Amino acid sequence: MEEENAVELLQRYRRDRRILLDFILSGSLIKRVVMPPGAVTLDDVDLDQVSVDYVLNCAKKGGMLELSEAIRDYHDHTGLPQMSSTGSTGEFYLVTNPEYSGSPPRRVPPPVPAFTPTPVYTPSPVSTPAPITTPPVFAASPIVSSVSRSESFNSAQVQELTVDDIEDFEDDYDAEEVDSLRVSRRTTNDASELALKLPSFATGITDDDLRETAYELLLACAGAAGGLIIPSKEKKKDKRSRLMRKLGRSRSEHVVMQSQRATGLVGLLETMRVQMEISEAMDIRTRQGLLNALVGKVGKRMDTLLIPLELLCCVSRTEFSDKKAFIRWQKRQLNILEEGLINYPVVGFGESGRKLSELRILLAKIEEAESLPPSAGEIQRTECLRSLREIAIPLAERPARGDLTGEVCHWADGYPLNVRLYEKLLLSVFDMLDEGKLTEEVEEILELLKSTWRVLGITETVHYTCYAWVLFRQYVMTSEQRILQHAMEQLTKIPLKEQRGPQERSHLNSLHSKVEPGGSRDMSFLQSFLSPIQRWADKQLGDYHLHFAEKSAMMGNIVAVAMVARRLLLEEPEVAMQSMSITDRDQIESYILSSIKSAFSRLLQTVEKADPIHGHPLTLLAEETKKLLKKESTMFMPIFSQRHPQAAVVSASLVHKLYGNKLKPFLDGAEHLTEDVVSVFPAADSLEQYIMGLIMSLCEEETAEVYCRKLIPYEIESISGTLVMRWVNSQLGRILGWVERAIQQERWDPISPQQRHGTSIVEVYRIVEETVDQFFSLKVPMRSTELNSLFRGIDNAFQVYANHVIDKMASKDDLIPPVPILTRYKKEVGIKAFVKKELFDPRLPDERRSTEINVLTTPTLCVQLNTLYYAISQLNKLEDSIWERWTEKIPREKFIKKSIVEKSKSFTQKDTFVGSRKDINAAIDRICEFTGTKIIFWDLKDRFIDNLYKPSVSLSRFEALIEALDVELSQLCDIIVEALRDRIVTSLLQASLDGLLRVILDGGPSRVFSPSDAKLLEEDLEVLKEFFISGGDGLPRGVVENQVARIRHVIKLQGHETRELIEDLKSASGLEMQNGRSKLGADSKTLLRILCHRSDSEASQFLKKQYKIPKSSA
């Protein structure tokens, strides 16, 4: 709030000040007011720069008021503090700059050394000073007082220069020194590519000539506003003179001090002089010449003068330090006249064309006059200048662009001279000590330059275009981001064609020039200035990976510059015809294509030079390309995507194509899984998957699929799958060979008390796991097809193993003796003979088969069971391990095709080793059944099958078998693994019950039973049951009960009377025809066998009559 009040008070103060001055100057307080040079009325004078004190003093004295003196007085006292009017001579103010003063000294000053002062030299009042032979001493000089006492008073140097002496010197920097000063500011980049597409000047005008002429023109335009005064001697020597270098004063400090002293238009012109590197001698010379040119031209504005001609007339050669400097200066003025009036006139000559040759002759004669004797040369120069005025002034004051005669002097507004001069003025906006920064007075400078628009024929469009080019060129030289942003702002201010008025469009259409050798190409103004910008931007963006590797933010501005320049140039007829079909998106794509190709080419060169020890070139290339694409998508594509939504897709697709072209020959030659294949395939596949994922993440699903279909896939997975399948098949053949070998060498001895399985299964698992390890060590891409093949191969190997284990095992039927022929009961006399007869049966095992059965001892069978159980239990671990490693191996990114994932999931849900599990379990069941049957029907055959219940139940009870059965069971349990114990014991239980049933129903003629034996048989069955339950340590009671139930029913039938059994058999025979059973719940075969073993004549007679069964003696 306080700041706003202060600003408001300041504005009110300035307004009141102007009103007061206008009242004083317009009233009768001042007898006469003399306008400053270039001003016609008070409206042309900036009253803010007029000293009020000076005006009031003149009013008090009643004298004449010279406004130029009032303006000078204002600027002379601007940098000083307000003085009190005490008039005391002892009071003074020391103007210092606190920024450069530093802190006050903290130590005691050293004592003053005793010395004898030399007599003070006082210069003679004579106008021509005599030579000085002794070194002078300057008394009370404020400049020299800053020098150390030893240098000022005790120096042995030849002669010091005073400030007044410096006035007599022209700036004597040689070219090398100036160049070194410029280079010391900042190391600049080459901006030659941004050279304007404008024709060169026939007269050979240099950039320095244009710069100096531009400053002269600026002074004239400033003079028209009343701001042109000749600075006093105290403000001279802005440039660094030799004395200033001796005093160690920096340019920056001097500029700061000057800017503090001078404000307003005068101060701004002083800043411009320093910025444009114009010597003060030239500045004073030009100011004085322009002021002299207005003498006698009442009402004439300074900016309507033909400035080069007026300066030629008003500046004499005596004002130059040497003749050579004057000749250079005069040559420049003559060249400017020739270029402005003859080579690039705004108005055509028409009838005045005959004056063209006269004008050239006069210019040549003026230049020639310098080679004549002084008197003759001066006469010729004066006469030629007079004649030149007579011809040049009418030519320059011809009306153009709707102005009136004499209103504008057309000598500098011809294209392209005007824009070249304006360019030099615009260059003053940059800090002369740091070209990468704009000067603090940039806004004031640009406002001041507007005063030159009328003389130079500059419009807003021309200004914005020229200023944008100047800023952009400066950015190229300095790489300053802020300068680039300013350039972008100016480009966006350039109005489009439809935004320009009719007069503006007409003016721009007239600005054309011939360029290139022979002037064959006609270029418009916008083309001349904007085409270098666009061409440079296109070149940089054509390899943005190189030029903007660490400057992506700057790249965004360059893209904007390129697009704006392109849009403006497309409105030009010639450019529009050439680029009619190229859109902004096409241009963005061309940048991407060009830059990625260049970056990829550099990657190729780097990879080719890399040491082979680091990997295959295609592997390295894939890795580097992936890094390139990551940088592309994160740094550059967000910039391009603002103007081309699918820019990243274009980029990714091109990278895919470029790498694919290099990869294809390698893929075509891949036939086996070599080291190179194993190295290249994963890297290439990873790159492709990354590209596909990038595309799918940038687009909607349908759009992404369209782009992905356009890509030519590498098909690495397919090619790799074929090679992996070949490898898997060869390895599976190797596994089968090892299985055969392991089985052949197996002796079925347990490895140790703890590991009670055979060695062959361990060997098989070792080779299988080695194969699996090798499979997953193949880092090439794989499909589930290859995994499935591996599973099938391993599954087949274990099936082969299980089948080999039971291949040589005898059949169960070989263990069980043949069932005797059914006979009916006979008395004891015939039994002995029948028994002898039935002992021989051709179906009993032969000697070879018996040997095979005997080899398979109970311990051997137990080891086989343990081995098969080890195989099936480790199979689960192997399966889990394979799936876990496969899950880690396959990529899990979002872009994996759904079909592959679903296929893999469905495959995991299946039992992958279903065949081997089935075969191993079948083999276990068969061995368990064989083991139980062998113990009962082979090992215990004599005691169990042959002699149990002989000659009667009471004389041969089952308890006699328990000890032998316990020995066999103990042997089983000592060797068999815990997991198979119940399974093998259950098999033994089943075999025992089968043996018991065989004895009861098919025991042969030697076994007879009576109803009273049923109770004894029931007791024996209980003994057998309890033996296998073993008080809870054996089989579960429920399992045993279920097994015993089938024989318990047969024993109950033994307790029925013969009559009941006969009646039941009769009824059962009829019911079986109808799939029924008898009332006793038995089938006819069981009842028939019970009757055959019944010691009863009634049963014997029934069997003889009904079934024709022979007696035992038969």
Side-chain angles (χ1 to χ4, degrees), residues 13 103 113 140 162 230 312 480 501 528 689 731 913 962 1010 1058 1065:
Y13 164 73
S103 58
T162 65
I230 301 175
L312 284 170
E480 275 292 333
S528 297
Q689 294 297 333
Q731 292 300 309
F913 291 127
I962 291 298
S1010 62
T1058 303
L1065 177 59

Side-chain angles (χ1 to χ4, degrees), residues 667-678:
L667 294 179
D668 294 341
E671 296 181 355
H672 303 285
L673 286 176
T674 61
E675 288 185 7
D676 289 344
V677 168
V678 173

Side-chain angles (χ1 to χ4, degrees), residues 827-845:
K827 301 253 175 143
E828 296 290 335
V829 286
I831 294 177
K832 188 174 181 181
F834 182 77
V835 171
K836 289 181 180 178
K837 182 180 178 181
E838 72 176 0
L839 287 177
F840 175 76
D841 194 297
R843 291 179 299 167
L844 289 177

Side-chain angles (χ1 to χ4, degrees), residues 307-364:
I307 293 172
L309 177 61
E310 298 297 345
L311 290 177
L312 284 170
C313 295
C314 296
V315 177
S316 65
R317 65 168 54 89
T318 58
E319 297 184 38
F320 292 85
S321 58
D322 55 36
K323 184 177 181 180
K324 192 179 292 185
F326 171 74
I327 292 174
R328 283 199 306 268
W329 175 85
Q330 179 178 263
K331 177 66 175 175
R332 173 171 63 82
Q333 304 294 351
L334 295 174
N335 288 341
I336 292 294
L337 283 173
E338 183 176 347
E339 295 292 352
L341 296 178
I342 300 176
N343 296 339
Y344 300 106
V346 173
V347 185
F349 286 99
E351 296 180 357
S352 305
R354 58 185 177 80
K355 297 182 180 180
L356 184 63
S357 58
E358 295 180 20
L359 198 59
R360 290 186 187 277
I361 292 171
L362 288 173
L363 294 175

Side-chain angles (χ1 to χ4, degrees), residues 717-765:
E717 203 173 60
S718 175
I719 298 171
S720 173
T722 302
L723 301 182
V724 171
M725 192 70 79
R726 290 178 189 170
W727 180 87
V728 168
N729 291 336
S730 66
Q731 292 300 309
L732 293 178
R734 178 167 162 261
I735 290 175
L736 289 177
W738 274 94
V739 169
E740 298 279 354
R741 179 182 173 191
I743 286 289
Q744 290 173 6
Q745 295 177 351
E746 180 62 79
R747 295 294 174 264
W748 300 116
D749 294 325
I751 297 175
S752 68
Q754 291 75 31
Q755 295 178 310
R756 289 172 278 180
H757 50 268
T759 58
S760 59
I761 192 63
V762 176
E763 187 66 17
V764 170
Y765 264 106

Side-chain angles (χ1 to χ4, degrees), residues 83-243:
M83 299 287 293
S84 60
S85 301
T86 57
S88 171
T89 57
E91 295 181 4
F92 67 92
Y93 291 92
L94 177 63
V95 182
T96 61
N97 186 346
E99 185 178 351
Y100 297 102
S101 298
S103 58
R106 298 179 181 178
R107 56 186 177 83
V108 180
V112 180
F115 69 96
T116 305
T118 1
V120 177
Y121 170 77
T122 305
S124 159
V126 184
S127 59
T128 306
I132 300 172
T133 56
T134 58
V137 176
F138 299 94
S141 173
I143 298 177
V144 183
S145 64
S146 65
V147 185
S148 64
R149 193 173 294 273
S150 61
E151 287 183 357
S152 301
F153 299 99
N154 301 331
S155 175
Q157 295 177 6
V158 179
Q159 182 177 0
E160 296 289 342
L161 298 176
T162 65
V163 176
D164 292 333
D165 294 331
I166 301 171
E167 295 174 14
D168 300 330
F169 283 84
E170 186 70 26
D171 285 344
D172 50 3
Y173 292 119
D174 57 353
E176 292 181 0
E177 186 177 2
V178 172
D179 289 342
S180 66
L181 284 173
R182 289 177 179 171
V183 171
S184 66
R185 299 172 190 167
R186 177 192 283 262
T187 303
T188 56
N189 306 320
D190 181 25
S192 58
E193 294 180 8
L194 280 170
L196 292 172
K197 297 300 178 182
L198 296 173
S200 57
F201 294 108
T203 58
I205 294 176
T206 63
D207 284 346
D208 287 339
D209 294 338
L210 291 170
R211 174 173 51 81
E212 292 172 357
T213 300
Y215 182 71
E216 292 169 352
L217 187 148
L218 179 66
L219 287 179
C221 294
L228 192 65
I229 60 172
I230 301 175
S232 60
K233 291 184 178 181
E234 290 80 11
K235 291 196 173 185
K236 288 184 181 180
K237 303 307 171 192
D238 180 59
K239 296 188 78 173
R240 231 172 151 192
S241 66
R242 289 180 180 176
L243 178 60

